[in-house]
């Protein structure tokens, strides 16, 4: 299970693929794998053990989303069942990225609106939408371990 986000921009602040690539190349923890239709960013901080992924898929320039927003083609995912440091580090990264490019975030875990609406998020708001789902996964994993131990596996 993963925590997933998508990034949008308005017509006036459209971001190009190479602008994203240049940004990620400046971050030592980011490695980029180029694909025929975009790229994948593998973030891996060896000092903290935090890792997550972003992917970029080229979008049709004519595709408008919600009348005034463009899908940037960029999405983010981090696995659940991780220590809280994953949230602190990854959500700060997401916030910095969104602020740098003036992006809005579509947060599927934010249950305050259905369907989720792209908007600006603070680091704390992102962490708060990650936390409950991560805790649930951690409880499920722990419950499974306990059951396996009881069953003698």
């Amino acid at each position: 299970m993963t925590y997933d986000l998508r990034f949008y921009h308005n017509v006036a602040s459209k971001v190009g693929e190479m602008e994203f690539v240049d940004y990620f190349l400046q971050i030592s923890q980011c490695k980029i794998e180029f694909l025929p239709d975009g790229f994948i960013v593998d973030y891996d901080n060896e000092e903290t053990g935090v890792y997550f992924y972003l992917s970029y898929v080229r979008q049709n320039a004519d595709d408008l989303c919600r009348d005034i927003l463009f899908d940037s083609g960029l999405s983010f995912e981090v696995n659940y069942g991780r220590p809280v440091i994953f949230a602190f580090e990854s959500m700060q990264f997401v916030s910095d990225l969104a602020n740098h490019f003036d992006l809005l975030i579509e947060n599927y875990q934010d249950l305050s609106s259905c369907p989720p609406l792209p908007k600006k998020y603070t680091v704390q708001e992102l962490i708060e939408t990650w936390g409950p789902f991560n805790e649930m996964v951690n409880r499920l994993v722990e419950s499974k371990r306990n059951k396996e131990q009881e069953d003698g596996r």
Side-chain angles (χ1 to χ4, degrees), residues 14-135:
K14 190 171 180 185
V15 182
E17 178 178 356
M18 290 313 298
E19 291 174 272
F20 285 133
V21 168
D22 290 342
Y23 178 83
F24 295 128
L25 287 174
Q26 301 303 310
I27 301 169
S28 63
Q29 294 88 356
C30 289
K31 305 294 181 253
I32 300 177
E33 176 186 350
F34 292 96
L35 305 170
D37 63 345
F39 59 84
I40 295 173
V41 177
D42 176 10
Y43 177 97
D44 188 2
N45 186 336
E46 293 179 8
E47 291 181 23
T48 63
V50 172
Y51 60 91
F52 53 84
Y53 306 94
L54 295 107
S55 60
Y56 175 85
V57 177
R58 283 184 206 95
Q59 303 295 302
N60 181 340
D62 297 329
D63 287 342
L64 279 175
C65 175
R66 296 179 175 88
D67 298 323
I68 59 169
L69 296 178
F70 278 101
D71 183 339
S72 71
L74 195 62
S75 61
F76 164 89
E77 72 177 50
V78 62
N79 291 329
Y80 285 124
R82 302 292 178 252
V84 72
I85 189 171
F86 275 69
F88 294 143
E89 189 169 332
S90 64
M91 301 314 160
Q92 184 64 59
F93 182 96
V94 165
S95 179
D96 292 347
L97 172 67
N99 289 334
H100 182 83
F101 290 111
D102 196 26
L103 299 171
L104 300 176
I105 299 169
E106 183 176 54
N107 184 346
Y108 304 108
Q109 294 74 208
D110 185 349
L111 303 178
S112 67
S113 67
C114 188
L117 300 174
K119 66 178 190 175
K120 291 285 187 183
Y121 281 90
T122 66
V123 173
Q124 187 59 39
E125 289 170 328
L126 290 167
I127 290 170
E128 287 171 3
T129 61
W130 177 83
F133 291 97
N134 190 63
E135 289 172 19

